Amino acid sequence: MAGIARGAAITLTAAGQVELIERELPELLPDEVRVAVRAVGICTLEKRLFLGKLKLGYPLIPGHEVAGVIEDVGPQVLGGFKPGQRVALDLLTRCGQCHWCRRGASNRCENRFRSRRGALGGMSARVAVPGREVFVLPDDLPLQLATLAEPLADCLHSLGRAGLTHQGPVAVVGLGVMGLLHTTLLHHLGHTTLGVDPAPLKREMASDFGATATAPPVQAAAALQALNGGYGASSVVVTAPGVEALETGIGLLAKGGTLVVYSSYDNDDRLPLAVNRLHYDEITITGSEGRTEVDFQRAVDLLAGGSLDLSPLISRTFSAEQAQEAFQTSLNPDLFRVLITFP
């Protein structure tokens, strides 16, 4: 590990193939902060890139769940950042000038993939990013846990769209990392929650994360019946891909309820819904994509407060030199988040 160059980066060179390469230290522009990366998560996006299911071109430096330590600060940075501060990075360009940014929906920024990095690039020993993407952490927050700030922010944004009322249970369909983060946030907010997943291990984890009850999909309706007499879930968040998960979620939704489609789907997938359910049951169906800078700050504040114990979500940790093994291991469906660390 000590021999890794300061400018080294883990690079996806082909489907199924990653390499640790040396490159020039990233240039520090006047409005940027250079960060020594310490830990990066392998998210579903990185897995899709690794498997070749998502093609953005090669070579590509993946990684967007990033925590590290500030090394240098450009002269035009106004955030009061200092070398040595521990930070989480929101690696999403927000131009602040487009139609959506000007309306407070910077997660929809029209220019978010037009920067020199796009929304990735975090699997580097050093990154240089605009100061607006840097969020300071308390000294006692482990940097490995801080990599979860980005997915936690996404889930906070999702729950902001879920129409939460405390007038009925909330169902979370799919109990991977994102489903479990939704579950623990709902518990934190005092909601009765049903966690739905076919995997016993994930249902057990959901119970540990505060789910009131859990069930496999075929038993979810019965479990909900036991929670509130069969009136359905006032909100449902579907984090699992696949039309079957959507069918389960829609079937659990109460009259007047809100369903959040959190996961992305294949372009050919269609919503399995009788249109009259919208009319007669007054249900709302919405999506959730990404997060705003406000969501990211809220996530950092929650992690800093110490009220959420997310450490069980870190399943395995590998050094940068073990990147190929780390990506292969991350494909194990029984694991949660796999991290790569830099010295």
Side-chain angles (χ1 to χ4, degrees), residues 42-98:
I42 301 177
C43 181
T44 301
L45 173 61
E46 278 78 32
K47 295 176 190 178
R48 289 172 177 164
L49 289 167
F50 180 71
L51 292 170
K53 294 181 178 179
L54 177 63
K55 297 178 174 63
L56 299 180
Y58 304 113
L60 172 71
I61 301 173
H64 64 285
E65 298 180 356
V66 183
V69 179
I70 293 177
E71 280 194 341
D72 298 296
V73 181
Q76 295 179 10
V77 175
L78 304 177
F81 303 114
K82 299 178 179 62
Q85 286 181 316
R86 299 149 63 86
V87 294
L89 302 183
D90 180 18
L91 296 183
L92 182 64
T93 296
R94 307 178 194 281
C95 73
Q97 304 171 52
C98 73

Side-chain angles (χ1 to χ4, degrees), residues 104-332:
S106 63
N107 60 308
R108 304 177 200 152
C109 176
E110 293 174 349
N111 301 304
R112 57 184 173 165
F113 300 124
R114 296 181 185 176
S115 74
R116 59 192 177 125
R117 290 180 296 98
L120 297 168
M123 289 188 181
S124 308
R126 303 292 186 283
V127 294
V129 300
R132 64 179 177 270
E133 298 180 10
V134 179
F135 291 77
V136 176
L137 305 166
D139 291 338
D140 59 352
L141 179 65
L143 288 176
Q144 293 187 9
L145 282 181
T147 63
L148 295 172
E150 190 273 344
L152 187 64
D154 288 348
C155 294
L156 285 166
H157 185 80
S158 169
L159 290 180
R161 301 185 61 78
L164 301 176
T165 63
H166 282 98
Q167 294 180 350
V170 179
V172 179
V173 180
L175 298 174
V177 171
M178 310 313 291
L180 291 172
L181 287 174
H182 278 90
T183 299
T184 195
L185 286 170
L186 288 163
H187 175 67
H188 184 74
L189 293 170
H191 289 273
T192 298
T193 307
L194 172 67
V196 181
D197 198 284
L201 176 64
K202 293 180 178 180
R203 297 199 301 272
E204 181 179 350
M205 182 72 89
S207 295
D208 293 340
F209 270 52
T212 311
T214 67
V218 294
Q219 298 175 11
L224 198 56
Q225 170 85 21
L227 286 178
N228 76 335
Y231 283 99
S234 59
S235 300
V236 177
V237 181
V238 181
T239 70
V243 175
E244 298 85 358
L246 285 175
E247 290 175 339
T248 298
I250 292 170
L252 297 175
L253 192 61
K255 292 182 178 181
T258 299
L259 180 129
V260 178
V261 180
Y262 180 86
S263 180
S264 62
Y265 290 81
D266 292 336
N267 290 335
D268 293 332
D269 286 341
R270 295 293 180 267
L271 197 65
L273 176 68
V275 178
N276 268 340
R277 278 215 64 192
L278 293 168
H279 174 65
Y280 288 111
D281 291 354
E282 295 187 320
I283 62 174
T284 298
I285 297 178
T286 187
S288 180
E289 204 282 324
R291 71 274 170 197
T292 67
E293 58 271 52
V294 175
D295 297 317
F296 204 97
Q297 185 62 61
R298 291 170 64 207
V300 168
D301 290 343
L302 271 173
L303 290 172
S307 58
L308 301 178
D309 180 13
L310 304 184
S311 57
L313 293 180
I314 307 298
S315 296
R316 296 285 302 277
T317 301
F318 293 86
S319 71
E321 294 166 322
Q322 299 170 307
Q324 182 73 33
E325 182 182 358
F327 270 83
Q328 294 285 1
T329 301
S330 73
L331 303 178
N332 183 339

